[in-house]
Amino acid sequence: MADSVGGIRVGPYAELVFDSEGDADREAEAAVARMEATDLLVFAHGWNSDRSTSTRLYDRFFAPFPGLVGSGVRLGYVGVVWPSIRFADEPIPDFDAPAPGLLADPATAEAAAAGGGSGTAPDPGTALGPGTRAALGAFWPGRRAELDRVAELLERREESAAAFIEFGALVRELAGVNAVPTAAAPPVPAVFTQDVLEVCRDLAAALAAAGAPPGTEAPPGTDAPPGADAAAGREPGVGDGLRPLWKGAKELLRQATYYQMKKRAGVVGERGLGPVLAGLAARRPALRVHLLGHSFGARVVSFSLRAVPDGARYVKSLTLFQGAFSHYAFADRLPHDQGRGGALGGLQRRVDGPVVACHSPHDTSLKIFYPLASRMAGDSAGLLGFDARWGAIGHDGVRAVPGAPRLSLDAALREGVPATGCVSVDTGSVVRRGGAPSGAHSDICHEELARLVVTAGRMGR
């Protein structure tokens, strides 16, 4: 089958394209249905700045598979494309050149590095570069006026509480959250309900704790290394005025996109990908489907299990890379609330094979920032005081599922993984590269991980 988007070196390859409501592109769906394959690898990307980024991810990740599978296996490759966003300061190893500043336009960063004149020059740690600005416009269509004002506030970095209050209101509006809880509305993360100055102060501290990405430099006139404020227990902005807190404001904008993507990923999985695969399986009952997902794409493929009919056996494996959803998702009972289960409690039983959760200690995005986005309103412990309730499956694997083993990557490749049920695999031996603030979150293109997928799907030689 001809590659419809270019750049994919394996085949047959096609893309399943969904909008934010989970509606599928019917031509793409038909292209997948025509594939001559015994086994279908269905991979959903996480946050991306554009479609070309996901295409490059699929090309690189799929490349080793033809040399790994047995002679009786004919693979078909499917890339799931759904509307998400990647901020330009979240580098993908081997994809992106090092950015000169956090989300900064290179010309802006160069001017700032040269001294740029007055103290009100755009900060490379807060100014929105053109790529990120365009991505935000695509992510929130029809909100140009709000985004223009958000960009202006981030560039100007005013020493004004009123400016922060305006910024917080704009971000809440973009995220579509109601800061006033109601009985009918779902819980809103604390980042959208607490005092915006306190939120920005805590988020700026989180950035420093994550490794001081570009733009989190020490205050002028000091020789302190990046992140020294956090290491010394000093709150950003204390004694320095309000300007350093705009780094936290930038992170608040990012949290708004995370919040929106989290909801969207579940919708695309349950209402889009799941029904498409169920329909495909009904027409081709012998087809074996292997679901793969990275980051919020792991949420997409996992929520597609909700559309698997009872008794169906077409999903043969589910492999999650740095999954950006709760480590309790598959639990029948939550440790902190025995009356409730995880959002996907028990759905691992709809996989006729293993659910493999890959996690890495080098993923700063899931270690620090995912819990911030996951905290519910009403918790008074403070934004950085999160506990295990808000952990991500890509940070420490599957939790609260009895009998789910925990393996190293070497052990999983050497001895195999269980035939069914959940298993956590520490992939930190290879998933380890990447700069702040996301760490190794996107460092997933390794032959060892492709071999793990083959092992989980019983497709090897």
Side-chain angles (χ1 to χ4, degrees), residues 143 146-147 149-150 153 161-179 191-197 200 246 249 252-253 256:
R143 310 306 291 270
E146 293 92 335
L147 288 170
R149 181 56 178 161
V150 162
L153 289 167
F164 278 93
I165 292 171
E166 180 186 2
F167 182 86
L170 286 167
V171 169
R172 284 195 299 271
E173 187 175 345
L174 288 168
V177 300
N178 182 0
V191 290
F192 300 123
T193 62
Q194 295 183 352
D195 178 81
V196 67
L197 283 173
C200 291
W246 284 105
L252 178 59
L253 178 62

Side-chain angles (χ1 to χ4, degrees), residues 197-286:
L197 283 173
E198 293 304 313
V199 167
C200 291
R201 180 173 285 111
D202 283 344
L203 289 174
L207 283 168
T216 57
E217 66 283 340
T222 74
D223 294 323
D229 282 355
R234 179 171 177 261
E235 292 187 12
V238 175
D240 300 325
L242 299 180
R243 182 160 293 163
L245 302 190
W246 284 105
K247 296 180 178 68
K250 167 68 74 59
E251 184 57 33
L252 178 59
L253 178 62
R254 189 201 311 268
Q255 292 293 326
T257 67
Y258 287 5
Y259 177 70
Q260 195 82 17
M261 281 192 294
K262 182 177 181 178
K263 295 190 296 182
R264 185 175 292 179
V267 169
V268 170
E270 182 175 0
R271 301 180 188 174
L273 179 61
V276 166
L277 293 178
L280 179 63
R283 295 190 297 273
R284 299 179 57 183

